[in-house]
Amino acid sequence: MNFKKGMVMLVASLILTLVACGSDDATSDSDSNEDINYSEEVDRTIIGIEPGAGISVTTETAIEEYDSLSGWTLETPSTAAMITELEEAINAEEPIIVTGWNPHWMFAQFPDMKYLEDPKGVYGEAENIQTLARQGFEEDHPEAYKLVDQFNWTVEDMEQIMYDANESDEDIADVSAQWVEDNEDKVSEWTDGVGEGDGSTIELASTPWDSERASSNVLATVLEQNGFEVEVTPVDPSIVFESIANGDADATVAAWLPFTHADFYESVKDDVVDLGPNLEGAKIGLVVPSYMDIESIEDLEAAE
Ligand code: PBE
């Protein structure tokens, strides 16, 4: 009886010791993570891309809307400079906060990254990339209009071109032309019922990012195969919307809606023809390496 009691007590105290050690460890671990003040470490700075990007406008809105971002700065160097800074930070395991989006190859190249939660929904949920046309495009070029309207693909399609171009260092235009050759079935759905073009030139407004260089080059290739000439003009998103509204361009497949380009769309929506999504499942937001122990924009800290 005594021996049994002794054993029970011994086991009980062992368990207590183990539990105590375990919780000690856990406490000191999380203490050391909590010690890192990420907001200070990144100097309350978000590394963004070009100032004219929709995501730059949206990030300025986030800085206004979130108390936790009050006093923060958005730097807007360029997409290439942002990627370089991101790569350097990841190699050194240093904290960094960038503006990020899908489709893009950055998540394939740096798989250990996460979007910060956005409880206020400033960056929105998954969104679409949409096709817009100028008023009168359908009447002036019905066959081209039909093809542009039927253009529709997936995140995976677009990313395949972006990854291949990034990995091979080939031009996106060439990789896109190859994609068209390799995806006859999909392309034949876009050209279904489309009559031969009359050689007139179709003006596509686009943006300079790889995602839109892929989509515009794919569509241009297919239009050209169907008897049209095509001119693709990469400009800032605000100019894309303006040029469709004032008729300088015939169409665009580069409108990220309803979030990223909300402001640009709002100002022209009565003067453009909305042909709906050509890709579903795009996304934008603030992105950090996974080794940073924060989950939400609200985990950041305002300037004093
Ligand atoms: N992007 C990629 C662009 C649109 C395409 C998300 C960087 C933007 O306007 O923010």
Side-chain angles (χ1 to χ4, degrees):
M1 186 72 184
N2 267 349
F3 174 75
K4 232 180 169 181
K5 200 174 168 193
M7 279 301 282
V8 169
M9 286 183 64
L10 182 63
V11 169
S13 74
L14 266 176
I15 288 173
L16 276 176
T17 316
L18 285 173
V19 168
C21 281
S23 66
D24 256 15
D25 276 2
T27 318
S28 58
D29 256 16
S30 67
D31 271 2
S32 66
N33 276 332
E34 275 159 24
D35 280 350
I36 303 179
N37 184 327
Y38 291 117
S39 303
E40 263 172 32
E41 294 255 326
V42 301
D43 207 13
R44 294 190 169 78
T45 301
I46 296 164
I47 309 298
I49 57 167
E50 291 75 2
I55 200 171
S56 304
V57 178
T58 318
T59 301
E60 291 294 358
T61 309
I63 290 175
E64 277 163 34
E65 296 259 320
Y66 279 96
D67 291 344
S68 58
L69 289 179
S70 142
W72 280 61
T73 309
L74 170 67
E75 273 182 16
T76 50
S78 67
T79 302
M82 181 274 278
I83 298 278
T84 305
E85 284 201 47
L86 179 62
E87 189 164 16
E88 284 170 3
I90 287 178
N91 287 341
E93 267 217 30
E94 278 168 4
I96 186 167
I97 305 180
V98 301
T99 58
W101 64 95
N102 293 91
H104 196 278
W105 46 259
M106 67 178 109
F107 292 91
Q109 184 139 338
F110 314 115
D112 217 11
M113 293 202 303
K114 60 187 175 188
Y115 280 97
L116 290 182
E117 284 159 27
D118 167 29
K120 288 184 191 278
V122 173
Y123 294 100
E125 297 298 319
E127 64 180 337
N128 305 317
I129 307 182
Q130 293 195 194
T131 305
L132 308 177
R134 69 167 169 86
Q135 284 172 352
F137 178 47
E138 182 175 12
E139 292 73 24
D140 295 345
H141 302 287
E143 303 303 336
Y145 174 90
K146 192 170 166 69
L147 203 164
V148 169
D149 190 19
Q150 290 180 168
F151 168 68
N152 182 282
W153 63 347
T154 64
V155 169
E156 290 73 30
D157 293 329
M158 183 185 257
E159 275 181 346
Q160 197 189 328
I161 295 178
M162 298 172 78
Y163 295 167
D164 287 356
N166 183 46
E167 268 178 20
S168 65
D169 246 0
E170 272 180 60
D171 196 84
I172 285 206
D174 298 334
V175 180
S176 303
Q178 185 62 46
W179 186 94
V180 169
E181 222 174 275
D182 296 342
N183 287 271
E184 262 176 38
D185 284 359
K186 190 155 274 191
V187 171
S188 68
E189 287 171 23
W190 310 340
T191 55
D192 189 35
V194 175
E196 183 65 14
D198 57 4
S200 50
T201 300
I202 306 303
E203 307 271 356
L204 292 182
S206 188
T207 56
W209 293 282
D210 286 0
S211 40
E212 278 57 46
R213 293 180 62 214
S215 56
S216 296
N217 274 298
V218 162
L219 182 58
T221 304
V222 179
L223 280 163
E224 282 165 1
Q225 287 176 349
N226 283 266
F228 293 97
E229 303 282 316
V230 182
E231 247 174 56
V232 178
T233 312
V235 286
D236 274 356
S238 64
I239 312 288
V240 169
F241 285 82
E242 258 176 58
S243 63
I244 302 294
N246 67 25
D248 280 350
D250 293 309
T252 184
V253 290
W256 285 48
L257 293 168
F259 302 108
T260 310
H261 296 151
D263 293 358
F264 308 136
Y265 180 70
E266 198 53 37
S267 60
V268 302
K269 66 171 193 273
D270 297 333
D271 302 319
V272 301
V273 183
D274 188 346
L275 299 180
N278 59 61
L279 177 147
E280 288 173 36
K283 177 160 179 57
I284 66 166
L286 293 184
V287 170
V288 299
S290 306
Y291 52 76
M292 285 173 70
D293 188 23
I294 47 168
E295 301 304 327
S296 165
I297 297 174
E298 289 185 335
D299 295 340
L300 297 168
E301 192 188 272
E304 305 264 289

